[in-house]
Amino acid sequence: MLSECVPSDHYCVTCVRDLSPAEVMARLGVADQDPYPRCTPEEAVERFDLDVPAVRVHHEGDWVFVLEVNSQLGVTFKPQMLARLSEGSEAVSAQQLLDSTAKVAHARQGELLATYIDWHFEPPSGKDPSRLNRALTQVGFFREENEDSDEWEASKMILVAVEREFGLTVSPEVVNGPLPTAVLPYVKAPAPPREPLQRKPSADGSVVPKLQAEQARNDDHEDGR
C-alpha cells in the first residue's frame, strides 16, 4: 500500500504516469545531478537541511513515484510543477502537512484538473474534479460519520483513494530502501534591498549622512535661510 511508503503524519508524494525516471528527473530540473546518490528516508533526512527540497524517486509499473524528503515544502504539489510533470501524461499528488490537513491534486496534459483540501469539508474543485471526486467518495469521504470518527484517517484514506483509482502499484519494501535522490532547483527569497547610505557635504564642508542633511535643510527652512 502507498500509505506504507510514507510516514503516517506527514508526506508529499507525487506520481507521474507513462514517463521514464529520466524524463521525470528532467522535468524536475535535476537531470544534471546524475548519477544520483541513493538514500533511504532516514539517510535523506540526515543529508539535507529542512529548507532543501530534496526528492527520492522510484519507478514501478506505469508510474514514477516522487517522494519529498521534507513534505512541508510540497514543491511537487504546486500547480506549476504538476502542470509540468503531467505534460503529455498524467500526475496525481497527495500531501499531508504535519499537524495540519491532507490535500490531493490531479493533473493531466499539462493542466491542473482538480484539488481537494480536507479541512474545507467540500468536494474537489477545479476544471474536471469528477475522477478525484469519485475516488474520494468510494473510500468514504464526505460521510459525516467518517469525518467525526477517530478511527478514520483522512491522511491515510487519501492515499488509498488515489491508489485504487489510478492503479498505483508500489512495493513499500523497495520504497523504504535506498532510492535515487536529488535536490530540486529553487531560489531563496532575496533579502530586501538596503538603500545605500548617501552622504552630502554640510555647510562647513564636512560630510554628513543623508538623514542629517535632510534635517539640516529643514532647519534652514524654518530659520528663513
Side-chain angles (χ1 to χ4, degrees):
M1 293 181 64
L2 186 58
S3 61
E4 296 178 5
C5 299
V6 295
S8 60
D9 57 348
H10 65 93
Y11 57 77
C12 185
V13 54
T14 299
C15 310
V16 188
R17 187 198 295 270
D18 294 335
L19 293 182
S20 68
E23 289 174 310
V24 171
M25 290 295 201
R27 295 187 182 193
L28 291 173
V30 299
D32 59 341
Q33 298 178 34
D34 190 17
Y36 308 100
R38 299 179 66 88
C39 300
T40 65
E42 295 78 14
E43 291 169 344
V45 169
E46 293 177 0
R47 181 167 184 156
F48 302 103
D49 294 333
L50 291 179
D51 61 345
V52 174
V55 295
R56 302 168 61 248
V57 178
H58 172 63
H59 182 213
E60 192 162 335
D62 296 334
W63 295 87
V64 173
F65 297 80
V66 181
L67 302 104
E68 296 201 27
V69 176
N70 182 3
S71 59
Q72 297 296 101
L73 298 178
V75 176
T76 60
F77 189 87
K78 297 183 184 302
Q80 60 270 30
M81 180 62 80
L82 286 174
R84 185 188 311 167
L85 290 172
S86 68
E87 191 71 48
S89 181
E90 185 174 30
V92 59
S93 182
Q95 182 184 23
Q96 166 68 38
L97 298 172
L98 191 63
D99 296 328
S100 185
T101 191
K103 304 183 290 184
V104 61
H106 177 215
R108 187 175 59 240
Q109 299 298 328
E111 185 175 20
L112 185 64
L113 298 181
T115 303
Y116 172 73
I117 301 175
D118 189 56
W119 272 1
H120 288 180
F121 301 106
E122 296 177 356
S125 61
K127 184 176 181 179
D128 183 8
S130 58
R131 193 169 184 186
L132 205 56
N133 186 59
R134 178 179 63 195
L136 295 171
T137 300
Q138 288 180 346
V139 298
F141 279 85
F142 320 124
R143 298 178 186 172
E144 186 174 350
E145 62 271 21
N146 287 337
E147 295 292 345
D148 297 335
S149 173
D150 294 333
E151 298 179 357
W152 193 87
E153 301 177 26
S155 60
K156 178 179 180 178
M157 297 312 296
I158 274 183
L159 297 175
V160 173
V162 297
E163 183 178 43
R164 293 179 179 178
E165 177 66 25
F166 295 95
L168 302 176
T169 302
V170 64
S171 168
E173 291 77 15
V174 175
V175 171
N176 289 319
L179 294 178
T181 306
V183 176
L184 301 183
Y186 73 114
V187 178
K188 290 185 177 180
R194 296 181 61 184
E195 183 179 359
L197 183 63
Q198 300 183 25
R199 299 180 179 274
K200 179 178 179 179
S202 64
D204 60 3
S206 62
V207 177
V208 296
K210 179 181 177 182
L211 291 179
Q212 293 182 19
E214 182 68 25
Q215 183 62 50
R217 285 197 299 271
N218 292 338
D219 292 342
D220 287 347
H221 178 72
E222 293 174 359
D223 292 341
R225 289 179 289 173

